[in-house]
Structures are given as structure tokens and as C-alpha cells.
Amino acid sequence: MNDAPDDAVAGSVTADEEEALHVLIVEDDAETREWVATGLHEEGYNTRTVGEGRDGLMLALREPFDALVVDRRLPGLDGIGLIRAARAAGVCTPIIMLTALSETAQRVEGLDAGADDYLGKPFALAELLARLRAVVRRPALAQVQTCFSAGPLRLDLVRHEAQLHGEALDLTPTEFRLLEVMMRHAGRVVTRSMLLEQVWNFHFNPRTGVVETHMSRLRGKVHLHAAEPLIETVRGYGYRLRYGLDPA
């Protein structure tokens, strides 16, 4: 069901409310959405509410807000997609992501997409208010980096494209994520443990050759079109992308 912006919940802005913080709530559960909006109103916030990701993105791009509260799981465009699209479009508004997912990888994914903070469900309204106060005090984001360049390599996280010397690399999702981690740490050693955690969400040593196998395939695709090896093995430590990140 398409839940259009709820102006009845948001209300009209009076002269006394002009200095109140404006918060957009994107939450598909109607009961939670109303509970949060009512609680924020009681604390002096002005709110707009929507129940679908695409409606939330439309409002975030169109109207100025002091903060966004975005659920992780939304119909249509999910919370991660909304945040990535908003950041790619230059929206610097602080974002708090609500998530019922307890896995570390899910929370990291939200933060990597551009969220400023996250709050696990169920949560206390007092904690949400405290987190809102904290994020709106922080300096606004100048730009969320979604494109990386290191020597002849280019990576676009929004378009999900990898290029070498301007030619597209045909990478699997795992290989793409592996290259992303290498480029985020370009010029520095990336250990096997770091790759296990950031690519596979393993917080222990599974005693398999999963890293070596996928790294070998990635290096094969990259080195096939490279004049020199770009990903080096640092014996006893891990791997290193020879080039540092180019200036943004």
C-alpha cells in the first residue's frame, strides 16, 4: 500500500514552531510510525511521515529536514537503498537508521551506506530523542564518498561498476566487495582477518581457503588487463593494492 506523506500527523507549521527541528520519519509499520511522530511532537519537533522508501526519498530530495529517521526494512525501496540514493544525490541531512536486525554486518552496511547512527528495535523513545539531539549537533557531511580511484582502477558503488583503464571489469558480487575493501584501504596492508570480517562477516577463522580462492579470481581478472600486478601479496600479513587512493 502506498502510504503518502501524512500531513495530518505532520500538522501545519505556526510562527511559534518555525525554530523547531523538522524530522522525516520513514517507517512502514503504522503503529510505530504514529508512536514516534507523536513522541517527537510532544518534545517540540515538527515531523513528516511516510511508509514507503520511494516516498521518503522523494521528500528527502525535495524538502529541507534537520534529520531523517529511516527504517531498515521498507517496501519498494529499502532503507539502505534510500540512504545510498540520498547521499549520492548530495543530501547531507543526518540519518538515523532503525533496524530489527541484530547482525553486525547489517548495522555496518547501514553506516557504510551513509547513515550517521542506528537504533535497534525495540527501542525507547528517550534513546531516539537522545540520538537525534546528538546527530543534529554534528557538522553536516560535506560529501559521502561513493566513487573510488586508485591508479588505473575506478569503483562506483552507486552504479555498482568497476573499471580498469576505462574498461569494465566483470566481477561477481563477492569479488566486487573484495575490491571495494581493497580500495578503501588502498596502499595499506589488508589482513586476511579484515577481509573475512568485512566481506564474509566471519568474526572467527573458519580455517578455509575462501579468502585465497576469491582473491586469486579477483587478481586474475584485474591482472589480465594490467601492465603490472596491482594487488600484491604481503607474505605473512595479507594483501595490498599498490596504488593509494587518488585525491577526490
Side-chain angles (χ1 to χ4, degrees), residues 62-76:
R62 190 179 67 194
E63 300 183 18
F65 290 96
D66 295 293
L68 310 181
V69 177
V70 179
D71 188 33
R72 170 66 172 78
R73 288 180 170 174
L74 293 167

Side-chain angles (χ1 to χ4, degrees), residues 153-235:
L153 284 166
R154 302 288 184 273
L155 199 68
D156 189 322
L157 301 183
V158 175
R159 294 185 173 88
H160 203 78
E161 294 176 349
Q163 295 183 345
L164 176 65
H165 294 298
E167 297 294 327
L169 289 172
D170 184 16
L171 304 180
T172 66
T174 299
E175 292 164 353
F176 187 92
R177 177 62 178 152
L178 195 58
L179 182 59
E180 177 189 344
V181 174
M182 294 302 300
M183 292 189 72
R184 286 184 181 275
H185 299 84
R188 293 174 286 165
V189 174
V190 180
T191 67
R192 184 175 185 273
S193 296
M194 290 170 63
L195 293 172
L196 283 170
E197 181 171 317
Q198 296 183 40
V199 178
W200 286 275
N201 193 32
F202 288 162
H203 302 280
F204 61 95
N205 188 342
R207 299 187 182 279
T208 71
V210 63
V211 173
E212 291 76 10
T213 298
H214 284 85
M215 181 61 77
S216 176
R217 292 171 180 167
L218 172 63
R219 294 171 74 177
K221 293 180 179 181
V222 170
H223 295 168
L224 181 65
H225 303 289
E228 56 185 355
L230 301 181
I231 301 175
E232 303 173 321
T233 297
V234 182
R235 197 169 302 278

